[in-house]
Amino acid sequence: MASRSEEDLCCPICTDVFKDPVVLTCSHSLCRHCLLRWWKHKPIRECPVCKTVCSKKNPPVSLVLKNLCEAFLLERDQGTSEAPCSLHNEKLKLYCLDHQEPVCLKCRDSETHNSHRFRPVDEAAREPREKLQETLQPLKEKLKDFEKAKIKFELTSVDIKVQARHYETQIKEQFKKLRQFLEGEEQARLSALREEEEQKGQKMKEEVEALSREMSALSDTIRATEEELRAADLSFLKNYKAAVERVQLRHLQAGPQMPQGALIDAAKHLGNLSFNIWIKMKDVVSYSPVILDPNTAGIKLILSEDLTGVRGAVSQHVPDNPERFKSSICTLGSEGFTSGTHSWDVYVGGNKFWLLGVFEDSHQMKRSVRLHFLGVMFKEDTYKACSSASTSPFTVQNPVQRIRVNMDWTAGQLSFSDPDTNKHIHTITHTFTRKVFPFFCTAGELRILPLKISVTQQIR
């Protein structure tokens, strides 16, 4: 870094010690060469420092400043420890233009440098210094670009943390809902199991009580019969018939039988348990054929928490990433297609302006929407087809509330229909060669409708 005294003797343009300094009417001083070069590209002659208009085309030389600079340079040169000429041990005062090297006075007169061109060292250094200064300027500008990029990257790091925390909250909320559903199903299943346990346990208790009564009656019969057998012959014969009937009656009664279905119905509670829960879960979850990419959304769009809806809003702060649309009300689906057929329904309702279709993948996404968008547009109660930066109106009999987008990448067809009436609206033919993404643009509100979930069973 230059000392304070050296800074006072430096030109504000070339930042080097003044060479042929001139003084302007505003009292600022500059190198004559720097000033004339500065004025060459300016419509008016003004001071580069304070912008004061200078009336003189050739400002006077500042002799005092010139003498100070020459004295300073002399003192600096004398104070430096430059190596002398290696051949003659003399001070290197000249510069050989032919050999491109500094030489001493004896070298100039030697045979080695015969007929060569020479310049004083300070004069020879002037032009290369200026060239190097000019070469350095783009590097300074590049450094500024790097500094701006660094700030941008640091801000993006902060945005990443904010995004991660926000999405973490959403993920936890989704799993909380799923856990609540599963816990509810678990309690319902356990309650059904306990209810069956209680019912069948009570039934078995009643069966045991009935058996106990039968056992008591049978014991009474056995005890009475044994008493008859121990009686005297005459008494035995008198009661024999009744005793036989009593015993035979007990023989005719059926023996104890375990009732069917006495045990817990395991199949009812465990059979295809996870599958049946999954079937019920489809009523509490939804599936969208297209998920919006918030990293592409313009600054005047707000996406729904589940990334299936979008609405216009005032400008908001969003990261300035390469994928984001420069157009403030456009966004893309998160998944692109390079083959096959794809379909999705969009609720447009009473929206007064919207564009729906596909967008061809491009690194120039921020620059132009129309050049890469294919689809239909609704504006000022008019429907238009958009393709290759051109538009053509078409007629729709009745305003639509929902629009079905059907894309056949392989066949090169993009068609639109009304799912409420199943009527065709418009078809665009195009040869797709690049990946395309679902495209949405609105200042109002759009919503991608979920698909109806169904389960089919197949024998493998």
Side-chain angles (χ1 to χ4, degrees), residues 54-300:
C54 183
S55 59
K56 296 182 179 180
K57 186 175 182 180
N58 294 307
V61 175
S62 176
L63 295 176
V64 175
L65 184 56
K66 182 178 180 181
N67 292 334
L68 287 174
C69 292
E70 291 176 351
F72 173 80
L73 291 174
L74 181 61
E75 181 181 352
R76 189 179 66 178
D77 292 341
Q78 289 177 349
T80 57
S81 57
E82 293 182 353
C85 177
S86 59
L87 296 177
H88 309 104
N89 201 28
E90 295 283 340
K91 190 173 182 179
L92 301 171
K93 295 184 178 181
L94 300 176
Y95 186 78
C96 178
L97 299 178
D98 297 276
H99 280 176
Q100 297 286 300
E101 63 179 6
V103 296
C104 67
L105 295 177
K106 290 184 178 180
C107 289
R108 178 193 59 184
D109 300 330
S110 66
E111 185 177 355
T112 304
H113 295 278
N114 186 33
S115 301
H116 284 185
R117 297 167 300 153
F118 299 93
R119 293 286 187 277
V121 170
D122 60 341
E123 184 180 331
R126 186 179 304 151
E127 184 177 352
R129 193 185 302 276
E130 292 174 355
K131 288 183 179 180
L132 185 60
Q133 182 71 27
E134 293 176 358
T135 306
L136 188 62
Q137 191 59 35
L139 290 183
K140 291 181 179 180
E141 295 298 327
K142 191 172 185 178
L143 178 60
K144 292 180 181 178
D145 292 339
F146 273 91
E147 290 172 347
K148 292 178 182 179
K150 181 183 177 183
I151 295 174
K152 181 179 177 180
F153 288 5
E154 289 173 345
L155 292 175
T156 301
S157 297
V158 176
D159 289 329
I160 290 172
K161 292 182 181 296
V162 173
Q163 281 184 310
R165 298 292 79 77
H166 178 63
Y167 299 153
E168 179 180 340
T169 301
Q170 289 181 267
I171 291 172
K172 288 181 177 179
E173 186 63 29
Q174 289 291 325
F175 274 93
K176 180 181 178 181
K177 292 179 181 178
L178 293 176
R179 280 193 293 270
Q180 289 175 343
F181 169 79
L182 291 174
E183 288 171 358
E185 284 297 312
E186 179 185 13
Q187 292 302 317
R189 296 280 172 164
L190 292 176
S191 296
L193 175 61
R194 294 189 186 104
E195 183 179 353
E196 184 176 355
E197 177 191 13
E198 184 177 351
Q199 290 176 351
K200 292 190 173 181
Q202 180 64 29
K203 178 67 176 176
M204 196 54 57
K205 181 180 177 181
E206 293 173 356
E207 291 288 338
V208 171
E209 290 175 351
L211 286 175
S212 296
R213 289 192 297 270
E214 290 294 329
M215 290 171 62
S216 178
L218 187 59
S219 296
D220 292 343
T221 300
I222 292 172
R223 185 170 54 255
T225 303
E226 287 177 342
E227 289 178 357
E228 293 292 339
L229 289 173
R230 289 192 298 269
D233 292 340
L234 182 59
S235 178
F236 171 77
L237 290 174
K238 287 182 178 180
N239 297 318
Y240 172 72
K241 185 176 180 180
V244 169
E245 290 177 354
R246 188 167 56 245
V247 171
Q248 288 179 343
L249 180 63
R250 291 299 176 188
H251 278 297
L252 291 176
Q253 290 180 338
Q257 296 289 332
M258 177 68 70
Q260 289 190 357
L263 296 178
I264 296 293
D265 189 350
K268 181 179 73 173
H269 299 288
L270 299 177
N272 290 322
L273 177 59
S274 58
F275 176 80
N276 291 331
I277 297 298
W278 179 65
I279 291 295
K280 293 187 68 175
M281 188 177 289
K282 69 182 179 63
D283 296 327
V284 297
V285 299
S286 62
Y287 173 78
S288 176
V290 173
I291 297 298
L292 300 176
D293 183 358
N295 294 335
T296 65
I299 62 174
K300 290 187 177 181

